[in-house]
Amino acid sequence: MKIVIFAPHPDDEIYGCGGSILKWMDEDHDLHIIYVTDNRALITWGKKENQLIEEKAAPYIDLSEDEIGKIGLEEAMEVAKNFKFPKNNIHLFKFHDQDAINQIDKGKELAKKILIDTDRIVLPSNNNNHPDHQATHEIAKFAAKEMALDNVEFYVYAIYNVLKLPMERQIKVKMVDYRDQLYELMKGYKTQLCLKDSYMGWQTFKRRRIERFGVFKLEDCNLFYNF
């Protein structure tokens, strides 16, 4: 099975579906990952929102956004490699953090090349209050619509909002066997772990038991809150 995972930022693949990625890797599926943005605004946002952990942010605090973005993508490549994604299955759109909403058409065209012969698309939820997550949802869904991927299944994960859908539309993936590995993988995102919320979320990994997804087909577009 070919599975394509859309991550709005480096580390969203871990928080949204990391245990499932490890499980699918063990099942020997053909996994691809798309990192839509570069995390360049991370330190700027952290300063503004009082989210920085000073001692962890110290090596990055005086760097430009271009430099932070470069580091963010380097971290993503290394983490993806540690997930065991083949190099050719790691895709960087390199859109600027906080600007994906202005890159939907370009992202859609880039995504189409990757989605050929795909069986499952894993994407962030619709109705998302984070603009990069909302843009990523639209990039994936609009590309699939234009390609008429009627038989593809969509696994929707929620980070910045919640899954609001009937139980029969949900699937739970057990990740107890993978949470320690996921905890170690997250260490590769040193820039992300400068943020208080990211650091606190990381500490919960060893208690996680499941990951939940909404499961849809293309015909379900706009019939559900999350899709």
Side-chain angles (χ1 to χ4, degrees):
M1 176 182 285
K2 180 178 177 180
I3 303 173
V4 178
I5 296 115
F6 283 80
H9 313 94
D11 92 337
D12 285 325
E13 80 282 12
I14 288 187
Y15 286 104
C17 53
S20 300
I21 292 173
L22 291 170
K23 181 176 184 292
W24 296 331
M25 285 286 184
D26 278 354
E27 293 170 351
D28 204 27
H29 295 298
D30 176 24
L31 269 72
H32 291 246
I33 187 160
I34 297 171
Y35 293 103
V36 175
T37 72
D38 60 5
N39 264 350
R40 65 175 45 231
L42 183 146
I43 297 297
T44 303
W45 181 87
K47 289 178 183 177
K48 179 182 175 183
E49 300 295 331
N50 191 29
Q51 274 284 320
L52 292 182
I53 302 171
E54 289 186 11
E55 63 273 20
K56 294 185 179 297
Y60 313 108
I61 201 75
D62 294 322
L63 298 182
S64 69
E65 288 198 351
D66 282 347
E67 290 171 314
I68 295 295
K70 182 174 183 290
I71 292 169
L73 293 179
E74 288 171 351
E75 289 178 345
M77 288 294 295
E78 187 64 22
V79 170
K81 184 176 77 173
N82 290 336
F83 260 119
K84 308 300 184 190
F85 284 95
K87 185 176 181 180
N88 289 340
N89 291 13
I90 305 169
H91 310 278
L92 307 177
F93 283 5
K94 299 183 180 180
F95 297 158
H96 287 186
D97 191 7
Q98 307 289 335
D99 190 51
I101 203 72
N102 297 313
Q103 304 293 335
I104 290 174
D105 286 341
K106 183 177 180 181
K108 180 181 63 178
E109 295 307 314
L110 290 171
K112 285 180 184 178
K113 301 172 185 177
I114 302 163
L115 292 176
I116 295 169
D117 296 327
T118 295
D119 300 292
R120 179 182 298 161
I121 296 172
V122 184
L123 69 163
S125 172
N126 197 12
N127 285 303
N128 209 299
N129 59 14
H130 193 302
D132 288 338
H133 283 241
Q134 184 63 37
T136 300
H137 180 90
E138 294 179 12
I139 286 168
K141 194 161 68 176
F142 292 169
K145 278 185 175 182
E146 292 191 8
M147 296 173 72
L149 300 180
D150 297 325
N151 295 320
V152 167
E153 59 182 2
F154 294 81
Y155 271 40
V156 171
Y157 61 85
I159 297 179
Y160 286 96
N161 60 351
V162 296
L163 289 177
K164 298 181 181 179
L165 66 163
M167 290 302 295
E168 63 267 20
R169 287 286 182 167
Q170 298 184 35
I171 189 167
K172 297 178 182 179
V173 177
K174 293 181 180 179
M175 57 165 293
V176 173
D177 293 340
Y178 300 102
R179 57 192 182 188
D180 288 345
Q181 190 176 348
L182 201 61
Y183 183 88
E184 292 301 314
L185 282 166
M186 186 61 198
K187 290 180 180 178
Y189 283 124
K190 291 182 173 64
T191 52
Q192 278 289 344
L193 292 176
C194 294
L195 299 178
K196 295 174 185 176
D197 284 350
S198 294
Y199 189 87
M200 288 174 62
W202 176 48
Q203 297 305 307
T204 69
F205 283 178
K206 289 194 174 184
R207 301 194 300 273
R208 281 194 185 183
R209 302 184 64 83
I210 62 166
E211 288 173 342
R212 287 199 310 150
F213 300 92
V215 181
F216 306 98
K217 291 285 192 179
L218 202 55
E219 64 189 17
D220 299 317
C221 276
N222 303 319
L223 298 180
F224 295 88
Y225 174 83
N226 301 106
F227 191 69

